[in-house]
Amino acid sequence: MSQGHVSPPLCLGDAFGRSIQYLRLSVTDRCNLRCSYCQSNAVHEFIPHEHILHYEEILRFVNIVYHLGIEKVRLTGGEPFVRKGCAEFLWMLRQKFPSLDIRITSNGTLLAEHVTLLKRIRVGAVNLSLDSFDAETFATITGRKLLPQVLASLEKLLAEGVVVKINAVALRGITEREIDNFLSFANTYGVDVRFIEFMPMGRDTLWNASRFCPVSDLLALIEERVRLQPCPSDERSDGPARMFSMAGRKGRIGVISPLSNHFCHTCNRLRLTSEGALRLCLFDDHEYPLRPMLCDPTVRDEDIAAYLRKLCQTKPLGYDLLRAKKGTAVARSVMSGIGG
Ligand code: SAM
């Protein structure tokens, strides 16, 4: 497939008229944190290294979907920078796809040494997962005392002018206590801070109603402090987040409420797991293993593309699946196995 020639009918679309332009690429299921909301009681075994997609296979996949109209690729995991060679992979990705919108979701613990590279490859934004600015609370949530490392990365990213967005999982009794820290951070650095509702992910999830904090509660708390003004929705840069500006302050506040406010009708994403399985919807446990095709040079890119187009036609509406899963986990795997 040569680059740059995508005739519109060949672009990825689904049976609901959604066009698919965004790929979440999990490069590893391993992570150096043990966030309580990303764990479950089930025994979790990491994917053996030999089953993980090689970087060359990932590049092959990206090349195919790039020609099917994918414009934005987000590296996620696990923690992307836990995987050896991640920085070199990012560099290759940029060399091969000069106009691709490359983004990263990271816990920030290992980022500091890669900030110069991120700037050089013109990363669109780094979404940094940070649930607390308090060292003790951070350690309680993540199981690791690594807040100083995260803050060092954050400082470097901001100093280099890399766009940063903070993602925090809304946790009852924790996030409310830290609201002022988040607001002040958003205002000081003019960044977006987004709160994500805690989802019951994985078999034997540790989710329970007493730990769940609806984002509407956080919005109410914030509005006691500052007037919020809804921002026009910008699917490309904000995804499913509902964004608000703060009167007289810099930065914005966003909320992502997958359980209480569905955004499936605008979903434009595909997920590729670190084993090379295609996932059409966060809430759909059906995964389509692509590795056998991707690692086989006798399979033509055109045939993989045709298969992808066919699969995309079956992309479901997540809220239908959620309704059916009421009372159980919304996905069989924890988030680190899917990539968020
Ligand atoms: N390690 C990277 C990070 O920390 O951003 C990328 C992977 S992590 C699984 C992606 C995102 O999923 C993080 O923002 C994390 O907070 C979120 N997440 C994990 N489990 C979640 C859950 N049960 N509910 C809501 N968000 C969750």
Side-chain angles (χ1 to χ4, degrees):
M1 275 185 160
S2 59
Q3 289 192 12
H5 290 286
V6 187
S7 44
L10 295 183
C11 288
L12 289 171
D14 73 4
F16 299 99
R18 297 174 293 187
S19 71
I20 296 162
Q21 288 149 338
Y22 172 25
L23 170 69
R24 294 184 70 100
L25 200 55
S26 173
V27 292
T28 176
D29 63 326
R30 291 168 198 246
C31 189
N32 56 342
L33 298 186
R34 295 288 175 270
C35 301
S36 56
Y37 48 78
C38 202
Q39 307 280 304
S40 86
N41 281 322
V43 180
H44 180 74
E45 280 173 21
F46 291 117
I47 301 168
H49 288 298
E50 62 272 22
H51 292 175
I52 297 288
L53 217 53
H54 296 166
Y55 285 128
E56 304 76 58
E57 293 160 358
I58 301 180
L59 285 173
R60 182 176 184 194
F61 181 78
V62 174
N63 185 47
I64 294 167
V65 296
Y66 179 78
H67 289 95
L68 290 170
I70 291 283
E71 298 169 343
K72 173 167 136 182
V73 171
R74 174 179 303 283
L75 248 67
T76 176
E79 173 53 34
F81 287 95
V82 159
R83 180 162 174 188
K84 228 168 122 192
C86 181
E88 291 76 10
F89 171 69
L90 276 167
W91 181 249
M92 276 190 292
L93 197 60
R94 173 51 78 223
Q95 298 312 301
K96 280 192 179 290
F97 306 102
S99 64
L100 189 67
D101 183 356
I102 301 174
R103 300 189 179 217
I104 296 173
T105 292
S106 167
N107 61 32
T109 54
L110 304 166
L111 264 189
E113 61 174 300
H114 302 297
V115 170
T116 313
L117 168 81
L118 298 183
K119 194 175 158 75
R120 279 188 74 195
I121 64 159
R122 293 173 280 110
V123 72
V126 173
N127 286 9
L128 206 115
S129 305
L130 178 57
D131 307 305
S132 171
F133 286 94
D134 173 75
E136 220 170 285
T137 313
F138 179 92
T140 306
I141 298 172
T142 64
R144 300 287 185 267
K145 294 182 177 170
L146 291 174
L147 181 64
Q149 283 81 340
V150 180
L151 295 181
S153 302
L154 193 46
E155 204 175 299
K156 222 165 155 189
L157 287 164
L158 293 166
E160 288 288 348
V162 175
V163 176
V164 175
K165 298 178 185 193
I166 303 292
N167 285 340
V169 175
L171 298 168
R172 177 64 84 207
I174 294 178
T175 316
E176 300 102 314
R177 262 193 284 133
E178 295 229 15
I179 264 312
D180 289 317
N181 289 341
F182 284 116
L183 295 187
S184 136
F185 186 82
N187 181 36
T188 307
Y189 296 101
V191 301
D192 288 356
V193 171
R194 294 125 45 107
F195 299 103
I196 310 172
E197 276 177 354
F198 179 13
M199 287 181 273
M201 298 289 298
R203 273 177 290 211
D204 293 328
T205 170
L206 299 179
W207 188 97
N208 68 51
S210 67
R211 299 183 69 201
F212 178 73
C213 176
V215 288
S216 53
D217 285 12
L218 295 180
L219 286 177
L221 258 187
I222 295 169
E223 280 186 309
E224 287 171 12
R225 292 158 167 80
V226 57
R227 194 160 48 79
L228 293 178
Q229 180 73 35
C231 301
S233 80
D234 178 353
E235 176 64 36
R236 189 185 164 100
S237 90
D238 300 330
R242 282 181 289 141
M243 300 302 303
F244 301 86
S245 58
M246 300 186 278
R249 300 195 195 186
K250 290 187 291 171
R252 299 187 305 168
I253 294 299
V255 291
I256 303 177
S257 45
L259 298 185
S260 61
N261 191 329
H262 307 299
F263 35 74
C264 306
H265 57 286
T266 57
C267 181
N268 64 349
R269 53 185 71 184
L270 288 182
R271 292 174 169 83
L272 190 72
T273 69
S274 50
E275 300 176 273
L278 188 79
R279 205 174 161 107
L280 296 167
C281 168
L282 181 59
F283 305 130
D284 183 4
D285 288 315
H286 204 121
E287 291 180 356
Y288 301 87
L290 299 178
R291 189 163 194 213
M293 299 175 98
L294 290 171
C295 68
D296 183 346
T298 66
V299 179
R300 296 181 321 152
D301 285 2
E302 285 77 358
D303 296 332
I304 300 177
Y307 182 51
L308 290 175
R309 275 198 300 275
K310 207 166 112 197
L311 288 181
C312 284
Q313 282 299 314
T314 68
K315 181 174 160 69
L317 282 175
Y319 49 69
D320 286 345
L321 301 170
L322 270 182
R323 219 175 290 129
K325 288 183 175 186
K326 197 122 191 106
T328 62
V330 297
R332 269 206 300 269
S333 170
V334 290
M335 203 71 109
S336 56
I338 301 174

